[in-house]
Amino acid sequence: MTPQELAEASAKAMWDNDSASQRLGMELTHVAPGEATLVMTITEAMSNGQGNCHGGYLFTLADSAFAFACNSYNQITVGQHCSISYLIPGQIGDSLTATAREVSRSGRSGIYDVQLTNQHGEHVVTFRGHSRTVKGTHLPV
């Protein structure tokens, strides 16, 4: 398999078991080695007491993009640490795009940056995830 085919097959194997991302209406629109893009529309059920998107849903979208990016090499990889900055509120009805890109990958550790933007191109969230590869693969080797 080429690296791109491996990334796509790994993403499919993950997606098929990812109830959280699916049930929140996320759509995986791009995957490549060390990269992933997911899209999600904010619904009323995702709003907080101020009428904005609850930060937990923004975090979940960013975390899902991070997961697909760092698992694109057919190695089971988990989040070890992350940080998130909320820049502007997400609004009900916004279509958010989470774009994850690998910054560094060495040994069992990786660093990934995720940007969430809305349909107007406004930067909503920045997220940095640190990954750790553990035993196992998504596909038979």
Side-chain angles (χ1 to χ4, degrees):
M1 265 191 222
T2 67
Q4 180 61 34
E5 290 169 336
L6 190 60
E8 290 172 4
S10 296
K12 182 181 180 339
M14 281 184 57
W15 183 260
D16 288 347
N17 294 310
D18 188 345
S19 296
S21 296
Q22 290 179 34
R23 289 182 180 174
L24 288 173
M26 292 182 199
E27 179 184 352
L28 178 63
T29 61
H30 168 77
V31 68
E35 299 178 5
T37 304
L38 278 80
V39 176
M40 179 180 80
T41 299
I42 299 171
T43 66
E44 188 174 344
M46 299 173 182
S47 65
N48 62 19
Q50 299 171 346
N52 299 316
C53 184
H54 188 287
Y57 290 102
L58 299 173
F59 179 92
T60 302
L61 176 59
D63 189 51
S64 289
F66 165 51
F68 281 98
C70 68
N71 278 276
S72 61
Y73 299 100
N74 192 33
Q75 296 177 305
I76 303 292
T77 305
V78 297
Q80 183 177 42
H81 168 78
C82 67
S83 62
I84 189 166
S85 296
Y86 301 98
L87 306 174
I88 63 172
Q91 304 295 318
I92 295 169
D94 279 354
S95 176
L96 300 181
T97 300
T99 305
R101 296 204 192 309
E102 187 176 273
V103 174
S104 171
R105 183 171 164 259
S106 178
R108 295 177 51 210
S109 298
I111 298 174
Y112 295 79
D113 283 342
V114 184
Q115 307 300 319
L116 265 61
T117 55
N118 63 21
Q119 68 277 12
H120 306 295
E122 297 169 317
H123 195 169
V124 178
V125 162
T126 189
F127 172 108
R128 174 162 275 192
H130 296 246
S131 68
R132 187 76 169 165
T133 300
V134 296
K135 290 182 182 179
T137 60
H138 298 287
L139 309 166
V141 285

